[in-house]
Amino acid sequence: MDGIIPFLQDSNYNGLGFSIISILFYLSIYHFVLYLKNKDNFYLFYSTYAFTNVLILVPIPYNVFLQDIFLAYPDFFIQLDSPLKFASYILFSYFVIEVLHLKNHLPRFVAFFNYFTLSGIGIYLVLGTLEVFKPELNLLQTFFYFIFLPIYFLVMIYGSVLIFRIDEKVKGYILTGSLFLGVGAILSAVLTVGQPAEVIDQNFYVYYIGVLVENLLFTYALAIKQREVYKEKLRFQEELVIKLKENEELREMLNQRLQSELDLKERQIITLAADAETERMERIKAHYEREITELHLRSLRSQMNPHFIFNALNSIKVFLIENDKDRAILYLNRFSKLIRLVLESSRKTKISLGEELEIAQLYLTLESIRFDDGIEFQMEVAEDVRLNHIDVPPLVLQPFFENSIWHGLMNKAGKKWIRVMLKKQEGGHMLSIRDNGIGRKASQEINSKRTMKKESIGMSLSKDRLELFNKNESVHYHFEIIDHFLAEDSGTEVIFWL
């Protein structure tokens, strides 16, 4: 013990103080790298907080190159002392807010602290401007030590009481580290107040110890936090894999059941044909052909569903790879709603045009999330049109919206939009789906240059389904595709006559 105290008292001369500054500098760089990798704000706030403390402590140790830096620019470091300490307290506070998720646990306290911080910064900037013209007033230090710090400590004491009540695993390490720094700063001030420079140097080790213990505890807390994030990511990926397997099994079961029903109905037709009279046989055959047609419609839908399901799941996978948890969760929620609507419609041979447009709009919302600038979607429905009175095959419009996105808008720069217009026509209704993409010709040229060419079957399936639907419902639904080539008005338009 007799040898340790003198060693500690000599911390500003024997390299101990310089070592602590070096540790802080290393922690600053290390956690900044973690921020670039994980994009979690608490890494950034802690990195800048540690680096600010490095700048504050740079002028203090002797007999190291840091002292030469201070002696070369003494006025600069003296002027920086108060602003750096002010920034250090603010960065520390927002580090605690982020790492303990106080925005979720204590939203009112965080809102109050944001107001307090903005007010302090505003006053500090005004006083700093005045001090440029009147440096002898020493306004910044007076405000910082006699106004800001007392209020700040009261706010922090109140915040610490609130933090004790929340459920966060690392709160103990954060509060303990803050306590060590506070005790170290207070003891150092008590031991050195009114004392000559020699006494201040001898007792500065107390502050060094507080800084070191605080940052070691913070680093340990961040390591625990990183482990929690890693476990959460693994859990999320496992849940996603389970959902993907469930969707695949559901699709397989549906296809097998449809094929089994189709085979059964065809066998029944063959058996009855041999035993029934011609007229009776025609009626029975027409009845079973209708059921077979409905089964074909359902079978065609089962082929279409995996196509856009795969695209949506692939988007979720991309967000997970990019560590964009918020967008992945938003996308998964909307994707679940879309799956539910699709499964509900798959039990029907026809749905209203209103339900079909709702599914299409939700699909477009999902696809739009993957674009940085999004896709503008507009829908104009004439006042005299009753969407619930128009029946269509389920998911008949989805392939056309998909083509607009994947073949038209994906390769287009700038603003992207899709517009839907529905109005009455003589003898029926006209539905227009228009995009401002690159057009079919440009899309075909791009696809021809790819090694793996993307083949779209959705349009041909929709045509087959419309023919079956027309036969079943005694209607004459059809569509045509119009290409727009003008530079200011390019794109593709699909017009349905219903």
Side-chain angles (χ1 to χ4, degrees):
M1 182 64 69
D2 294 338
I4 294 177
I5 296 301
F7 175 76
L8 294 175
Q9 289 179 340
D10 199 33
S11 59
N12 284 330
Y13 296 89
N14 59 16
L16 177 61
F18 172 70
S19 299
I20 293 174
I21 294 174
S22 301
I23 292 173
L24 285 178
F25 181 75
Y26 165 76
L27 292 176
S28 171
I29 298 300
Y30 173 72
H31 287 95
F32 184 72
V33 172
L34 288 180
Y35 166 73
L36 295 178
K37 180 180 178 182
N38 299 296
K39 302 301 182 183
D40 289 317
N41 288 335
F42 54 79
Y43 287 124
L44 178 63
F45 282 120
Y46 178 70
S47 173
T48 50
Y49 167 66
F51 186 73
T52 303
N53 284 332
V54 169
L55 296 179
I56 293 172
L57 296 175
V58 159
I60 297 174
Y62 297 93
N63 300 328
V64 293
F65 74 93
L66 296 177
Q67 186 67 21
D68 295 333
I69 297 175
F70 173 71
L71 293 175
Y73 307 98
D75 294 336
F76 174 74
F77 281 98
I78 291 173
Q79 291 295 326
L80 273 183
D81 181 69
S82 175
L84 285 174
K85 289 179 179 177
F86 180 82
S88 174
Y89 284 109
I90 297 300
L91 291 170
F92 164 78
S93 302
Y94 280 100
F95 161 69
V96 174
I97 289 173
E98 289 292 331
V99 79
L100 296 181
H101 299 296
L102 297 188
K103 291 179 182 178
N104 297 328
H105 296 298
L106 306 171
R108 295 178 62 184
F109 175 77
V110 173
F112 164 75
F113 188 80
N114 289 337
Y115 177 77
F116 170 72
T117 301
L118 290 175
S119 301
I121 293 174
I123 295 173
Y124 206 82
L125 291 175
V126 171
L127 295 179
T129 304
L130 293 175
E131 191 166 308
V132 171
F133 300 99
K134 296 286 186 177
E136 67 277 4
L137 297 178
N138 202 20
L139 296 174
L140 289 181
Q141 287 198 2
T142 301
F143 168 73
F144 176 71
Y145 286 108
F146 296 102
I147 299 177
F148 175 78
L149 274 187
I151 299 175
Y152 176 84
F153 282 127
L154 291 175
V155 173
M156 286 299 100
I157 291 172
Y158 176 66
S160 299
V161 173
L162 296 178
I163 290 173
F164 268 112
R165 303 173 184 173
I166 68 174
D167 183 21
E168 283 289 338
K169 185 178 294 186
V170 299
K171 70 177 182 181
Y173 300 103
I174 299 299
L175 292 176
T176 304
S178 304
L179 180 62
F180 266 97
L181 179 63
V183 170
I186 292 172
L187 285 177
S188 178
V190 171
L191 294 173
T192 59
V193 63
Q195 300 295 327
E198 293 79 7
V199 176
I200 295 175
D201 283 339
Q202 288 178 356
N203 291 282
F204 207 80
Y205 74 90
V206 176
Y207 182 72
Y208 280 142
I209 292 174
V211 170
L212 180 61
V213 173
E214 178 209 40
N215 283 275
L216 291 177
L217 288 173
F218 284 3
T219 302
Y220 185 70
L222 289 175
I224 295 175
K225 201 72 177 177
Q226 187 176 17
R227 180 64 179 174
E228 288 181 350
V229 171
Y230 176 73
K231 288 182 177 179
E232 181 181 356
K233 187 183 298 183
L234 283 181
R235 181 185 59 79
F236 188 80
Q237 290 176 345
E238 290 172 356
E239 291 179 356
L240 181 60
V241 170
I242 292 173
K243 287 185 178 294
L244 291 176
K245 290 181 179 179
E246 290 176 351
N247 288 333
E248 182 64 23
E249 292 174 357
L250 180 62
R251 187 181 68 85
E252 291 295 332
M253 290 175 59
L254 180 61
N255 285 337
Q256 290 176 6
R257 187 177 66 186
L258 291 176
Q259 187 61 46
S260 176
E261 292 178 4
L262 182 61
D263 293 341
L264 177 61
K265 296 301 180 183
E266 288 178 345
R267 287 196 299 269
Q268 290 175 343
I269 290 176
I270 295 172
T271 302
L272 291 173
D275 301 332
E277 296 177 352
T278 303
E279 183 179 351
R280 181 170 174 267
M281 187 61 209
E282 288 297 325
R283 292 198 303 269
I284 295 175
K285 185 177 179 180
H287 170 75
Y288 281 105
E289 282 181 348
R290 180 183 179 90
E291 292 192 2
I292 290 173
T293 299
E294 293 176 357
L295 289 173
H296 274 297
L297 285 172
R298 293 166 64 188
S299 179
L300 286 171
R301 286 199 302 275
S302 73
Q303 296 177 53
M304 294 176 66
N305 293 346
H307 191 53
F308 71 82
I309 289 175
F310 172 80
N311 292 336
L313 294 178
N314 191 55
S315 299
I316 297 174
K317 182 181 72 175
V318 170
F319 291 147
L320 287 175
I321 292 173
E322 294 177 351
N323 200 31
D324 196 343
K325 296 175 288 187
D326 291 337
R327 294 181 74 187
I329 291 171
L330 174 63
Y331 202 101
L332 188 58
N333 288 338
R334 293 184 178 176
F335 172 68
S336 299
K337 181 180 179 181
L338 177 61
I339 290 296
R340 184 174 67 253
L341 291 175
V342 169
L343 291 177
E344 290 175 357
S345 68
S346 68
R347 292 193 290 267
K348 306 174 184 177
T349 59
K350 58 184 177 180
I351 61 175
S352 70
L353 183 58
E355 293 173 295
E356 177 70 7
L357 290 174
E358 180 185 2
I359 294 174
Q361 188 168 7
L362 182 56
Y363 168 79
L364 283 173
T365 302
L366 287 174
E367 291 286 22
S368 178
I369 294 176
R370 301 185 301 104
F371 289 82
D372 291 335
D373 297 327
I375 300 174
E376 180 184 346
F377 178 67
Q378 296 180 359
M379 183 182 299
E380 296 180 12
V381 179
E383 293 182 357
D384 57 345
V385 174
R386 298 294 178 265
L387 292 175
N388 293 334
H389 295 170
I390 306 172
D391 292 331
V392 295
L395 297 177
V396 70
L397 301 181
Q398 186 271 337
F400 298 93
F401 287 105
E402 185 177 273
N403 286 341
S404 292
I405 293 171
W406 284 89
H407 300 294
L409 299 177
M410 175 148 313
N411 297 306
K412 176 182 176 60
K415 182 178 181 181
K416 304 174 180 65
W417 51 259
I418 295 178
R419 294 171 183 167
V420 175
M421 183 179 68
L422 178 63
K423 61 182 180 180
K424 277 191 175 182
Q425 288 269 315
E426 183 177 354
H429 299 84
M430 187 197 78
L431 174 68
S432 168
I433 301 174
R434 171 76 186 277
D435 65 65
N436 69 331
I438 62 174
R440 289 190 296 172
K441 182 178 180 181
S443 176
Q444 291 170 358
E445 291 175 356
I446 293 174
N447 193 43
S448 66
K449 297 177 182 178
R450 293 174 176 163
T451 303
M452 298 294 293
K453 296 179 173 56
K454 178 178 175 64
E455 181 181 0
S456 174
I457 63 171
M459 198 171 299
S460 62
L461 287 175
S462 294
K463 184 178 180 181
D464 293 341
R465 296 179 64 209
L466 279 177
E467 291 177 357
L468 291 171
F469 188 84
N470 290 340
K471 181 180 178 181
N472 225 18
E473 301 294 329
S474 300
V475 294
H476 187 57
Y477 290 179
H478 61 285
F479 67 88
E480 69 169 316
I481 302 174
I482 301 174
D483 296 304
H484 298 270
F485 298 103
L486 295 178
E488 67 276 8
D489 191 31
S490 67
T492 306
E493 183 177 10
V494 183
I495 299 179
F496 284 84
W497 280 273
L498 306 173

